[in-house]
PDB file of all heavy atoms in Angstrom:
ATOM      1  N   VAL A1505     104.886 109.432  88.893  1.00 88.00           N
ATOM      2  CA  VAL A1505     105.375 108.633  87.777  1.00 88.00           C
ATOM      3  C   VAL A1505     105.563 109.473  86.519  1.00 88.00           C
ATOM      4  O   VAL A1505     106.523 109.283  85.772  1.00 88.00           O
ATOM      5  CB  VAL A1505     104.425 107.453  87.503  1.00 88.00           C
ATOM      6  CG1 VAL A1505     104.877 106.675  86.277  1.00 88.00           C
ATOM      7  CG2 VAL A1505     104.341 106.538  88.710  1.00 88.00           C
ATOM      8  N   ALA A1506     104.654 110.402  86.274  1.00 90.00           N
ATOM      9  CA  ALA A1506     104.646 111.157  85.027  1.00 90.00           C
ATOM     10  C   ALA A1506     105.949 111.910  84.786  1.00 90.00           C
ATOM     11  O   ALA A1506     106.404 112.024  83.648  1.00 90.00           O
ATOM     12  CB  ALA A1506     103.462 112.120  85.006  1.00 90.00           C
ATOM     13  N   ASP A1507     106.552 112.449  85.844  1.00 91.00           N
ATOM     14  CA  ASP A1507     107.776 113.218  85.663  1.00 91.00           C
ATOM     15  C   ASP A1507     108.952 112.653  86.460  1.00 91.00           C
ATOM     16  O   ASP A1507     109.955 113.342  86.658  1.00 91.00           O
ATOM     17  CB  ASP A1507     107.563 114.685  86.021  1.00 91.00           C
ATOM     18  CG  ASP A1507     106.927 114.886  87.383  1.00 91.00           C
ATOM     19  OD1 ASP A1507     106.773 113.893  88.125  1.00 91.00           O
ATOM     20  OD2 ASP A1507     106.578 116.042  87.703  1.00 91.00           O
ATOM     21  N   ASN A1508     108.829 111.408  86.913  1.00 93.00           N
ATOM     22  CA  ASN A1508     109.919 110.717  87.623  1.00 93.00           C
ATOM     23  C   ASN A1508     110.472 111.554  88.771  1.00 93.00           C
ATOM     24  O   ASN A1508     111.687 111.715  88.914  1.00 93.00           O
ATOM     25  CB  ASN A1508     111.035 110.348  86.643  1.00 93.00           C
ATOM     26  CG  ASN A1508     110.594 109.363  85.592  1.00 93.00           C
ATOM     27  OD1 ASN A1508     109.976 108.345  85.905  1.00 93.00           O
ATOM     28  ND2 ASN A1508     110.915 109.645  84.331  1.00 93.00           N
ATOM     29  N   THR A1509     109.573 112.048  89.594  1.00 95.00           N
ATOM     30  CA  THR A1509     109.958 112.930  90.687  1.00 95.00           C
ATOM     31  C   THR A1509     109.505 112.369  92.029  1.00 95.00           C
ATOM     32  O   THR A1509     108.349 111.976  92.184  1.00 95.00           O
ATOM     33  CB  THR A1509     109.368 114.331  90.485  1.00 95.00           C
ATOM     34  OG1 THR A1509     109.855 114.883  89.264  1.00 95.00           O
ATOM     35  CG2 THR A1509     109.750 115.250  91.638  1.00 95.00           C
ATOM     36  N   VAL A1510     110.415 112.349  92.982  1.00 96.00           N
ATOM     37  CA  VAL A1510     110.083 111.958  94.344  1.00 96.00           C
ATOM     38  C   VAL A1510     110.018 113.217  95.205  1.00 96.00           C
ATOM     39  O   VAL A1510     110.832 114.133  95.038  1.00 96.00           O
ATOM     40  CB  VAL A1510     111.101 110.945  94.906  1.00 96.00           C
ATOM     41  CG1 VAL A1510     112.498 111.552  95.024  1.00 96.00           C
ATOM     42  CG2 VAL A1510     110.638 110.419  96.261  1.00 96.00           C
ATOM     43  N   TYR A1511     109.043 113.271  96.104  1.00 97.00           N
ATOM     44  CA  TYR A1511     108.861 114.413  96.985  1.00 97.00           C
ATOM     45  C   TYR A1511     109.023 113.978  98.434  1.00 97.00           C
ATOM     46  O   TYR A1511     108.725 112.842  98.796  1.00 97.00           O
ATOM     47  CB  TYR A1511     107.476 115.033  96.812  1.00 97.00           C
ATOM     48  CG  TYR A1511     107.224 115.631  95.445  1.00 97.00           C
ATOM     49  CD1 TYR A1511     106.627 114.886  94.442  1.00 97.00           C
ATOM     50  CD2 TYR A1511     107.587 116.943  95.165  1.00 97.00           C
ATOM     51  CE1 TYR A1511     106.395 115.426  93.195  1.00 97.00           C
ATOM     52  CE2 TYR A1511     107.358 117.496  93.922  1.00 97.00           C
ATOM     53  CZ  TYR A1511     106.759 116.733  92.939  1.00 97.00           C
ATOM     54  OH  TYR A1511     106.527 117.279  91.695  1.00 97.00           O
ATOM     55  N   LEU A1512     109.485 114.891  99.244  1.00 98.00           N
ATOM     56  CA  LEU A1512     109.528 114.696 100.684  1.00 98.00           C
ATOM     57  C   LEU A1512     108.836 115.885 101.329  1.00 98.00           C
ATOM     58  O   LEU A1512     109.366 116.999 101.313  1.00 98.00           O
ATOM     59  CB  LEU A1512     110.970 114.569 101.190  1.00 98.00           C
ATOM     60  CG  LEU A1512     111.110 114.258 102.678  1.00 98.00           C
ATOM     61  CD1 LEU A1512     110.586 112.854 102.988  1.00 98.00           C
ATOM     62  CD2 LEU A1512     112.565 114.389 103.133  1.00 98.00           C
ATOM     63  N   ASP A1513     107.646 115.643 101.860  1.00 98.00           N
ATOM     64  CA  ASP A1513     106.896 116.676 102.560  1.00 98.00           C
ATOM     65  C   ASP A1513     107.206 116.583 104.046  1.00 98.00           C
ATOM     66  O   ASP A1513     106.910 115.570 104.683  1.00 98.00           O
ATOM     67  CB  ASP A1513     105.396 116.515 102.313  1.00 98.00           C
ATOM     68  CG  ASP A1513     105.013 116.826 100.887  1.00 98.00           C
ATOM     69  OD1 ASP A1513     105.160 118.006 100.484  1.00 98.00           O
ATOM     70  OD2 ASP A1513     104.569 115.911 100.170  1.00 98.00           O
ATOM     71  N   MET A1514     107.800 117.627 104.582  1.00 98.00           N
ATOM     72  CA  MET A1514     108.257 117.643 105.961  1.00 98.00           C
ATOM     73  C   MET A1514     107.388 118.599 106.767  1.00 98.00           C
ATOM     74  O   MET A1514     107.269 119.774 106.422  1.00 98.00           O
ATOM     75  CB  MET A1514     109.728 118.061 106.035  1.00 98.00           C
ATOM     76  CG  MET A1514     110.653 117.177 105.205  1.00 98.00           C
ATOM     77  SD  MET A1514     112.395 117.651 105.344  1.00 98.00           S
ATOM     78  CE  MET A1514     112.374 119.206 104.439  1.00 98.00           C
ATOM     79  N   ASP A1515     106.792 118.083 107.833  1.00 98.00           N
ATOM     80  CA  ASP A1515     105.946 118.875 108.720  1.00 98.00           C
ATOM     81  C   ASP A1515     106.490 118.827 110.141  1.00 98.00           C
ATOM     82  O   ASP A1515     107.230 117.911 110.510  1.00 98.00           O
ATOM     83  CB  ASP A1515     104.507 118.353 108.705  1.00 98.00           C
ATOM     84  CG  ASP A1515     103.819 118.514 107.363  1.00 98.00           C
ATOM     85  OD1 ASP A1515     103.972 119.585 106.744  1.00 98.00           O
ATOM     86  OD2 ASP A1515     103.125 117.562 106.939  1.00 98.00           O
ATOM     87  N   ASN A1516     106.093 119.810 110.938  1.00 98.00           N
ATOM     88  CA  ASN A1516     106.518 119.884 112.340  1.00 98.00           C
ATOM     89  C   ASN A1516     108.032 119.718 112.468  1.00 98.00           C
ATOM     90  O   ASN A1516     108.528 118.897 113.245  1.00 98.00           O
ATOM     91  CB  ASN A1516     105.789 118.828 113.165  1.00 98.00           C
ATOM     92  CG  ASN A1516     105.955 119.021 114.655  1.00 98.00           C
ATOM     93  OD1 ASN A1516     106.223 120.132 115.120  1.00 98.00           O
ATOM     94  ND2 ASN A1516     105.816 117.937 115.415  1.00 98.00           N
ATOM     95  N   LEU A1517     108.759 120.518 111.723  1.00 98.00           N
ATOM     96  CA  LEU A1517     110.215 120.397 111.679  1.00 98.00           C
ATOM     97  C   LEU A1517     110.857 120.735 113.017  1.00 98.00           C
ATOM     98  O   LEU A1517     110.405 121.639 113.734  1.00 98.00           O
ATOM     99  CB  LEU A1517     110.782 121.292 110.586  1.00 98.00           C
ATOM    100  CG  LEU A1517     110.601 120.746 109.165  1.00 98.00           C
ATOM    101  CD1 LEU A1517     110.781 121.848 108.130  1.00 98.00           C
ATOM    102  CD2 LEU A1517     111.578 119.607 108.909  1.00 98.00           C
ATOM    103  N   LYS A1518     111.921 119.998 113.342  1.00 97.00           N
ATOM    104  CA  LYS A1518     112.669 120.166 114.571  1.00 97.00           C
ATOM    105  C   LYS A1518     114.112 120.541 114.255  1.00 97.00           C
ATOM    106  O   LYS A1518     114.598 120.253 113.160  1.00 97.00           O
ATOM    107  CB  LYS A1518     112.648 118.868 115.389  1.00 97.00           C
ATOM    108  CG  LYS A1518     111.255 118.337 115.696  1.00 97.00           C
ATOM    109  CD  LYS A1518     111.334 116.990 116.395  1.00 97.00           C
ATOM    110  CE  LYS A1518     109.957 116.445 116.704  1.00 97.00           C
ATOM    111  NZ  LYS A1518     110.033 115.122 117.384  1.00 97.00           N
TER     112      LYS A1518
END
Side-chain angles (χ1 to χ4, degrees):
V1505 176
D1507 51 7
N1508 296 312
T1509 300
V1510 64
Y1511 296 93
L1512 184 67
D1513 291 295
M1514 303 182 289
D1515 295 317
N1516 192 24
L1517 284 162
K1518 305 175 180 180

